[in-house]
Amino acid sequence: MASPPVLHTGVLASVPSRLLHPHTIPVGPGPVGIVVTPDGATAYVAASGGAEITAVSTATDTAGSTVPVGAGPWDLAVSPDGARLYASRPAAGVVGVVSTASHTVTGTVTGLATPKGLAVSPDGTTLYVANTGGGTVAVVDTATHTAITAVDVGGAPDTIAFRPDGAVAYVSVPGSGTVRVVSTASRAVTATITGFTTPTGLAVSPDGTTLYVADSGRSALALVSTATHTVTATAALATSPVSVSCSPDGTLVYVTTPGRDSVTVVNSFSATVTTTITGLVSPQRVTTTVDGLRLFVTNGGAGTVLAVRRPASITPNAGSRGGGTTVTITGQGFTGTTAVRFGSRLAPEFTVVDDSHLVVVTPSGTVSGALVQVTSAGGRAGVGHFYYRRLPLLESLSVTEGPMSGGTVITLTGRRFTGVKGVWFGKTFRSVTVLSDSRMTVVAPPSAVAGHIPLHVTNQGGVSNTLSFTYVATMAITSLGPISGPRTGSRPVNINGTGLGAVTSVTFGGVAAVFKVMSDIKVQAITPPGPPGPAAVVVGTADGRTATSPTPYTYT
């Protein structure tokens, strides 16, 4: 028998006892999919080893009626209005449609190929089905329960997740190591996200800015920007993850790791593991109550659902050693809080928002990983750790100047780059690729003006020192004055243009001339002798750039 589930964070003693003690709910053999209705009243569980769906009351944590749907139900999805439940049955090649009012099957979507992952569009008009046996995603009209089209995703799809605005659906394709981005308007793949080994579970943050990818092949959780479709951070896990879900407030990410019989809890802000729920038996999926205060985990190897309180969280969970970081602590039993400690130091300010939330200003500190404890009439409890960070330090740039058009790739060298999200070029922000704690790269943005621009970065510890990057105007000659002169040379000529400050050579018809750089827009040269006729005027720089006058100089 498995040992009782263990949570490595605490809550105050004033929390009702029903929420303090994890307990299991029998639901049938091999439970996998689980969803909570939008009203929060019922959790539905698919018993893949049986032929039914079990309705669980979230008020009493007890199993109620069962819905016979046929052998092997796998994944579940619920309509936004809560009226319909969809259940995939891979072996039968169908998706069953269940009325949540009558708990009966009212329709069937047929013609599918080993359907597994399901997702309903936010507007409820379409159901997306992962056809693992066909390498496609079926788009189903929820009014008629018929497939409208099939989107080729280039391999067997696993999981589907919609962005909250409904504009795109993300589809994991484990065999190709990619996540496909499907436009819901064109119903076609519009982008491919790479950088994974075996992506399986997917979840999108409530604000729609981040896609969480369970990379089973790398034993990691990848965080992907939904704006750029690039991996922005990675959280290392103890073993291969299978599925992912987010807390309703977006502060925690829950990752099932069946190989360790556990659920790993990741802080979404810092992409760090904050705690682990252990003592499970091959956990498959996690969902939460509507308020996010409790979790339901399908115990695939035990035929049960674990009901357990939400772990406490601190967001952000890192900040400056000087203190002053405003953090939100989420937990339970915070009414009547009298003190909040970070290690041995009292927080200078805190506000009790409600029984589940505190807003706290951190004191100064130097010990990274300071235990945070909350004290109230119910006692004292640890709610997590806060990590004091030092400021990032910039030491050098691989390239110190570039064109005003931008596009220069710069490698920054320094210290404490972990947690850095981007570089500020003056007031313009650009995302970075952090290669290590001491190296990162960034692409310079365009600039409307030439000259020196200060660069700085920030991490959870604060703002770095600055280094200078110089935008160089595009070198060009716009005019000459005068445009002609004697073949004997020795005539002063003004070469006018832009970006001329770096000129190191001037030629007339290929013959070097004596010159002086007057400014970024003017070079004065003395013509060398030349044969009668036109002569091209060319300026050059030490790095090989050249510019030619649109009008030649004419020797007379």
Side-chain angles (χ1 to χ4, degrees), residues 354-397:
D354 54 38
D355 194 64
S356 302
H357 299 89
L358 297 172
V359 174
V360 186
V361 176
T362 64
S364 60
T366 57
V367 178
S368 189
L371 176 63
V372 180
Q373 299 180 81
V374 178
T375 303
S376 78
R380 179 187 295 185
V383 293
H385 293 82
F386 186 80
Y387 298 88
Y388 285 100
R389 304 298 192 197
R390 298 176 64 187
L391 301 179
L393 175 67
L394 297 179
E395 295 177 339
S396 65
L397 306 177

Side-chain angles (χ1 to χ4, degrees), residues 239-312:
T239 189
S240 299
V242 170
S243 68
V244 188
S245 64
C246 295
S247 62
D249 63 5
T251 60
L252 296 179
V253 183
Y254 307 112
V255 189
T256 60
T257 48
R260 288 293 182 95
D261 290 331
S262 64
V263 170
T264 303
V265 183
V266 176
N267 183 291
S268 63
F269 181 84
S270 60
T272 55
V273 174
T274 60
T275 191
T276 303
I277 304 173
T278 60
L280 301 164
V281 185
S282 189
Q284 298 297 311
R285 302 286 189 271
V286 181
T287 191
T288 74
T289 51
V290 172
D291 60 12
L293 295 181
R294 289 191 300 144
L295 315 180
F296 294 105
V297 185
T298 51
N299 259 328
T304 62
V305 168
L306 169 72
V308 64
R309 66 172 177 80
R310 167 203 163 115

Side-chain angles (χ1 to χ4, degrees), residues 153-205:
V153 292
D158 184 84
T159 304
I160 304 169
F162 279 97
R163 203 167 64 191
D165 63 7
V168 298
Y170 301 97
V171 182
S172 64
V173 186
S176 66
T178 62
V179 173
R180 308 295 190 188
V181 183
V182 176
S183 165
T184 56
S186 64
R187 292 170 181 157
V189 174
T190 56
T192 298
I193 307 172
T194 59
F196 316 108
T197 301
T198 312
T200 53
L202 303 176
V204 181
S205 61

Side-chain angles (χ1 to χ4, degrees), residues 193-196 205 209-213 221-235 268-271 417-422 429-435 440:
I193 307 172
T194 59
F196 316 108
S205 61
T209 62
T210 304
L211 171 69
Y212 299 101
V213 182
L221 175 71
L223 283 65
V224 176
S225 165
T226 58
T228 64
H229 295 156
T230 56
V231 177
T232 58
T234 301
S268 63
F269 181 84
S270 60
F417 288 167
T418 299
V420 169
K421 302 297 184 184
F429 179 82
R430 279 294 181 269
S431 297
V432 297
T433 299
V434 177
L435 304 175
M440 59 187 171

Side-chain angles (χ1 to χ4, degrees), residues 456-470:
H456 75 271
V457 301
T458 62
N459 68 2
Q460 294 159 332
V463 181
S464 73
N465 59 311
T466 62
L467 295 178
S468 180
F469 181 79
T470 302

